[in-house]
Amino acid sequence: MQDSSFLSIDPVERSVSLDAGHPGFYQAPNPVYAALHAQTPTFYWREQRQWFFTGYDLVNSLLRDKRFGRQILHIASREDLGVPEPLAHTRHFDKAEEWSLLELEPPEHTRLRTLVNRAFVSRHVEKMSGEITDLANRLIDEFEPRGETELLSSFADIIPVTMIARMIGIPDAMGPQLLKWSHDYVGMYMFKRSRADEEAADRSAREFAEYISSVIAERRREPRDDLLSHMIHTEHKGQFLTEEELISTTIVLLNAGHEATVHQIGNSVRIILEEGLTSGLDPADLFRDAGTTERTVEECLRICAPVHIFQRYCLEACEIDGVTLARGDKIGLILAAANLDPRKFENPLTFKAERNEGANLSFGAGIHFCIGAPLARLELNIVLPLLFKRLPGLKLAASPQVKDVYHFHGLERLDLTW
């Protein structure tokens, strides 16, 4: 048994008590994941009242396992499962999520994803590289003469939301409002969310949906060369997306298209600078060419992933790694911990840009593999080397503080000087 002020592991019972709101955990989750790998990679998290899995091979297979899904009410009723009725004060959020790509299973998921997938294939995304480079350079131009900046607000917040909004067909000027709605929206995914979090998410979901509905009306009248027009006017097997499907899909694309990438830019810059302090690593060596840049980006995604947990429902009774699960049980797959499995990655808590030990699971796997992964990777492969090239001597001006938003992992702010 291992004990601390926020963590207790019983490897015999495969039971863990872990306070997700304790700074000792959410500010530095990797050592906790290492302890779980050492003692019980599959465990029952007592505070969350469900089973969690951290092993790389197991998480990878469960993400693809058709016995598990993102929804359960398509095969069973609330009464059958003992699931409570939806909360009245989150009805707008629930409606906005009703047709979310992240929540659906086939055949609905297949139909929606087919309609949007073409916009996110690499050859289309790569056409945006010039725009990403221009925007990044313009932002650096604004703060470079000052010799200091808070990178999230001046850079990381702006690029991903601007690019996904442009792809969909939302004006750049809406960026700050989209960020506010999105921050409120993802509050629903936090552990131990409060009533205030739920009300803020519901309010923003309503405003978000009303705005998207107005843009849909404009695109119906005057289609443009953007993803929203494409989704409105393209049919799949004789069917068009409904208004509700268009709203849900647009919201999830806007949220997923930037929220995690903002965190990953900050996390990546932090780990590179801290690694430079501890091991004398020269960032220039990480970005010598396209190959080294790509490996560096993937290592950053592996060791400091922005999204830590993906939840799944058990669709049929089964046994996984000795755990008996009933239909309707919910499980947690800890993607960030799977990235640190010592059976997959040698010295997994060590940053090694030259790794070639297999893919990280930061974007998931299977049918719910992140549709925005090509765009996120392109943004990271452009903006990270550009930052270190344009700002030689870049260093931390203060100790970075991590947001208390587990199971997302990102910084409150990142103060830099050069």
Side-chain angles (χ1 to χ4, degrees):
M1 175 84 78
Q2 174 175 333
D3 292 286
S4 74
S5 60
F6 60 91
L7 173 67
S8 174
I9 299 176
D10 185 337
V12 176
E13 296 295 327
R14 303 168 92 185
S15 175
V16 170
S17 175
L18 173 59
D19 180 2
H22 193 287
F25 174 54
Y26 71 75
Q27 288 184 4
N30 287 5
V32 173
Y33 295 153
L36 292 170
H37 279 300
Q39 298 185 61
T40 179
T42 295
F43 64 94
Y44 185 80
W45 191 336
R46 294 203 290 273
E47 286 81 358
Q48 308 308 325
R49 301 184 200 177
Q50 68 184 60
W51 285 91
F52 283 77
F53 301 86
T54 68
Y56 181 95
D57 289 340
L58 199 49
V59 169
N60 193 20
S61 66
L62 287 170
L63 286 167
R64 307 165 193 271
D65 195 325
K66 293 182 180 179
R67 294 174 298 177
F68 296 85
R70 287 290 293 168
Q71 59 179 184
I72 187 68
L73 295 178
H74 63 309
I75 64 167
S77 69
R78 290 180 180 274
E79 187 176 33
D80 290 340
L81 299 169
V83 175
E85 290 299 314
L87 300 171
H89 66 276
T90 62
R91 63 187 182 280
H92 297 105
F93 177 87
D94 293 337
K95 185 173 179 59
E97 284 284 277
E98 188 175 1
W99 296 99
S100 166
L101 277 169
L102 288 174
E103 305 300 329
L104 293 177
E105 291 296 310
E108 288 83 3
H109 177 272
T110 306
R111 180 169 62 89
L112 265 67
R113 181 139 183 162
T114 299
L115 281 168
V116 300
N117 206 37
R118 279 171 284 182
F120 284 91
V121 296
S122 297
R123 65 180 179 275
H124 291 301
V125 169
E126 285 168 3
K127 294 178 182 177
M128 304 182 74
S129 60
E131 288 186 61
I132 297 169
T133 303
D134 290 345
L135 177 58
N137 273 316
R138 179 169 61 78
L139 294 172
I140 295 172
D141 287 342
E142 292 176 3
F143 58 70
E144 187 273 337
R146 298 199 299 269
E148 62 179 14
T149 194
E150 194 290 296
L151 193 72
L152 301 187
S153 58
S154 66
F155 190 79
D157 275 345
I158 300 169
I159 293 174
V161 72
T162 301
M163 300 318 300
I164 189 62
R166 287 181 185 177
M167 178 179 276
I168 290 171
I170 307 296
D172 288 3
M174 282 298 296
Q177 182 61 70
L178 294 174
L179 284 171
K180 181 188 181 302
W181 283 332
S182 180
H183 291 334
D184 288 344
Y185 204 90
V186 299
M188 286 291 284
Y189 297 105
M190 290 191 298
F191 286 173
K192 296 183 180 178
R193 66 182 189 242
S194 66
R195 172 70 181 243
D197 293 327
E198 293 173 345
E199 290 175 348
D202 195 68
R203 181 173 58 252
S204 286
R206 175 178 56 78
E207 295 172 359
F208 210 161
E210 288 171 352
Y211 172 71
I212 296 301
S213 182
S214 70
V215 180
I216 290 170
E218 291 177 6
R219 294 299 185 275
R220 288 193 191 281
R221 294 191 301 268
E222 298 181 23
R224 299 183 187 176
D225 184 21
D226 56 37
L227 179 54
L228 185 53
S229 297
H230 166 78
M231 291 192 297
I232 291 169
H233 297 284
T234 301
E235 62 177 317
H236 176 64
K237 296 183 178 180
Q239 290 184 307
F240 292 91
L241 295 182
T242 66
E243 183 84 1
E244 290 76 15
E245 290 170 338
L246 286 166
I247 290 172
S248 286
T249 303
T250 303
I251 288 176
V252 76
L253 289 175
L254 281 165
N255 285 344
H258 81 273
E259 188 82 29
T261 310
V262 170
H263 291 332
Q264 191 60 44
I265 292 173
N267 293 349
S268 299
V269 172
R270 176 197 182 182
I271 192 73
I272 290 168
L273 291 178
E274 289 182 340
E275 187 65 23
L277 284 174
T278 58
S279 67
L281 177 73
D282 184 351
D285 292 335
L286 302 178
F287 303 112
R288 289 192 308 274
D289 51 42
T292 57
T293 295
E294 183 178 350
R295 287 193 293 274
T296 297
V297 167
E298 294 306 308
E299 178 66 350
C300 289
L301 283 163
R302 184 195 70 83
I303 203 167
C304 53
V307 179
H308 280 213
I309 290 178
F310 199 59
Q311 306 267 19
R312 308 273 281 172
Y313 284 103
C314 183
L315 304 182
E316 61 182 73
C318 60
E319 183 178 302
I320 303 295
D321 194 24
V323 177
T324 300
L325 298 168
R327 187 175 74 155
D329 284 351
K330 207 170 187 179
I331 63 169
L333 309 177
I334 309 186
L335 309 179
N339 287 342
L340 303 175
D341 189 340
R343 289 158 295 201
K344 176 69 175 178
F345 303 101
E346 184 181 0
N347 297 323
L349 269 61
T350 301
F351 179 89
K352 294 195 295 186
E354 69 278 7
R355 279 187 193 276
N356 186 24
E357 298 167 318
N360 63 74
L361 294 178
S362 298
F363 291 111
I367 65 168
H368 287 290
F369 179 80
C370 177
I371 198 170
L375 177 59
R377 282 188 161 115
L378 180 66
E379 290 169 341
L380 292 164
N381 274 271
I382 290 174
V383 306
L384 292 178
L386 196 56
L387 271 172
F388 285 97
K389 179 182 178 182
R390 291 282 314 270
L391 305 172
L394 194 63
K395 59 181 180 290
L396 297 171
S399 179
Q401 295 300 305
V402 179
K403 283 186 175 183
D404 178 11
V405 290
Y406 189 80
H407 52 90
F408 293 93
H409 185 70
L411 304 176
E412 288 280 3
R413 56 186 295 126
L414 184 58
D415 293 287
L416 304 174
T417 60
W418 52 90

